[in-house]
Structures are given as structure tokens and as C-alpha cells.
Amino acid sequence: MDAWVPWEPPLVCGRRRARSDVNQSFLQPFLAYNAAGGWTFGLNAESTCNLEARDWSVPINATVAKLVTFGKQPVQFTAGLRYWAETPANGPDALGGRVQITFLFPK
């Protein structure tokens, strides 16, 4: 298991504009299982927390990927479903999907 946790302090460049304070954190824990035949099964959450408003956005993604080659070019095809486990009052609340194509360039 691995996680990517970027954190950026709130910065204001130039003059302060009339707006609400912003203090957000992003957390992306993920699991991936690489199976035989070039298949990968993944599960992750792309969680964002607005610490000022105490609002969370927590989409949970389940993906399936297949690695194939066209000649010498490896390409990964990915498809997945997204479920919103937690959202702010006016945030998304339905199922979603994703489709992705990744061209790989190994040395």
C-alpha cells in the first residue's frame, strides 16, 4: 500500500481579494494488484478536505486496467467506476466513470 499526500499552505500573492479563507488538504491512498497477463485491479480515494468549512469530498474509485502492445509500443487501457462516499451539500452525489489510455515509453 502506498499513498500520495501533497500539502500546500494557503498563499496569497499580491493584494488580498474579498473571498473566504481557503485551507485544503488532499489525500490519495490507493491499492493496486498486478495480476498475470497484464491485468491490474485498483482501488483508491481522491479525498479533499476544506479545513475552513470542514467539508469533505471523498470519491472512491475502482479500476481495471489491461496492458497490451501494438508492435513495440506498450499501451494501458483503464476503465473504472467512481462512487461519492462524502460530498459537501452542493457537491456531486452520483456514480461516475472513467476511461483512460496511457502510452508507455520504457527505456
Side-chain angles (χ1 to χ4, degrees):
M1 182 167 173
D2 203 350
W4 177 56
V5 185
W7 180 78
E8 296 181 19
L11 298 175
V12 177
C13 298
R15 296 185 337 184
R16 184 179 174 108
R17 295 189 175 106
R19 63 169 178 77
S20 301
D21 286 339
V22 175
N23 187 0
Q24 291 193 167
S25 290
F26 179 79
L27 179 66
Q28 187 180 25
F30 57 90
L31 293 171
Y33 175 73
N34 296 317
W39 289 94
T40 302
F41 303 94
L43 184 66
N44 80 335
E46 299 170 348
S47 305
T48 304
C49 178
N50 179 337
L51 299 170
E52 295 292 326
R54 298 191 183 273
D55 281 335
W56 280 87
S57 294
V58 184
I60 297 174
N61 303 299
T63 58
V64 176
K66 172 68 173 157
L67 180 63
V68 297
T69 55
F70 295 107
K72 292 184 179 183
Q73 177 65 57
V75 180
Q76 185 180 47
F77 294 94
T78 307
L81 289 175
R82 168 178 284 178
Y83 168 73
W84 291 91
E86 182 70 32
T87 63
N90 61 349
D93 63 357
L95 284 176
R98 76 169 42 169
V99 177
Q100 179 177 322
I101 300 172
T102 305
F103 291 89
L104 304 166
F105 299 97
K107 290 185 177 184

